[in-house]
Amino acid sequence: MNKVISDAKTVGLVLSGGGIRGMAHIGLLKAMEEKGVQVQVVSGSSVGALVGALYANGNSIDEMLQFFKETPLFKYDFFAINKPGFIDTERYFKIFKGYFPEDAFEALRIPLFVVATDLLKGEEKVFSNGKLIRPLLASAALPPVFSPIEIEKTLYADGGVMNNFPKEYVDDKADFIIGSNVSIADEIDKRAIRNSILLAGRVTGLMIYASSHRKLLECDISIEPKELEGIGVLDKKGIEKAFKIGYEHGSRALELTSVSN
């Protein structure tokens, strides 16, 4: 028998990585807001960590979208010098400080678990207390585009490399879990893997998708919009489209269970 969200004492939210496609997470949040769904704990990787942090911070839907629309992806004076990666991720610190002035997990309204990849040990690292901004930057530092972030003498990069759907961190903290996976690996044409680079990207994408999809199926409510496949991971022109897709899928998913207002 399916669980009913209105019976839940604690609701957990898990948000995957996936670049601009992560705007679908915000669409889901809008649908949840309209249905009166309140979350008590959040975990996320990469863009999922960023959206989760904004949500846990109490930012509105419009403020979340504004954050991603106004934060530059490729800016001339952000290019990395003497660092691995094309863009210096450290240059985003000031922008993040504008949204998270206290720079602390403890300042958030609800608990947040942020996953990053320890590049030196080759394992995932979860952050949930202390300084907030550097773990967020690390979690979203997609290699090789963005440079790794150093935290306590260790280099960290995109959390999606090791765990793109960190459901484990809310399993024992919520009796009802909502999941959103935007790392889609739909069927493609053979021309899409016509060279070694595209082949490597496809294989990596399939591995990430397989792990995320398996855990997504364990959630009580979940969305995984296939329509996101047509939106580039770093294509800011897709922000509104991804948001709309997430809202539509979120609204339909929530309609399938009773929700208390």
Side-chain angles (χ1 to χ4, degrees), residues 131-226:
K131 294 292 187 180
L132 171 66
I133 295 176
R134 295 185 72 80
L136 288 179
L137 290 172
S139 184
L142 175 68
V145 179
F146 298 98
S147 65
I149 288 288
E150 184 171 341
I151 302 174
E152 297 180 354
K153 298 182 179 180
T154 294
L155 292 177
Y156 293 96
D158 196 311
V161 174
M162 298 300 293
N163 189 350
N164 199 50
F165 192 76
K167 177 176 173 287
E168 301 88 338
Y169 301 105
V170 303
D171 276 338
D172 61 347
K173 299 173 182 65
D175 53 19
F176 194 98
I177 298 177
I178 300 173
S180 177
N181 179 35
V182 299
S183 290
I184 311 300
D186 208 356
E187 184 177 350
I188 60 174
D189 187 273
K190 64 181 181 181
R191 289 174 294 182
I193 48 176
R194 60 186 177 276
N195 60 47
S196 299
I197 294 176
L198 292 173
L199 173 62
R202 175 61 172 171
V203 172
T204 301
L206 288 172
M207 289 190 293
I208 291 174
Y209 171 75
S211 174
S212 300
H213 182 71
R214 175 181 53 79
K215 290 188 285 185
L216 181 74
L217 295 177
E218 299 172 357
C219 295
D220 300 294
I221 292 179
S222 62
I223 68 168
E224 191 178 66
K226 298 297 184 183

Side-chain angles (χ1 to χ4, degrees), residues 13-20 22-23 25-26 29 42-60 63-65 67-69 71-73 89 92-93 95-97 99-100 105 108 112-115 132-142 146 149 158-159 166 233-234:
L13 178 66
V14 186
L15 304 174
S16 79
I20 294 301
M23 300 306 96
H25 296 326
I26 305 178
L29 290 173
V42 184
S43 70
S45 279
S46 197
V47 70
L50 301 186
V51 173
L54 291 166
Y55 176 75
N57 194 45
N59 291 99
S60 68
E63 287 169 342
M64 293 183 207
L65 288 172
F67 173 85
F68 290 99
K69 287 177 179 178
T71 300
L73 284 178
T89 312
Y92 291 90
F93 188 93
I95 297 173
F96 280 50
K97 194 74 161 62
Y99 282 81
F100 307 103
F105 278 90
L108 300 174
L112 172 70
F113 294 85
V114 171
V115 173
L132 171 66
I133 295 176
R134 295 185 72 80
L136 288 179
L137 290 172
S139 184
L142 175 68
F146 298 98
I149 288 288
D158 196 311
V233 173
L234 297 176

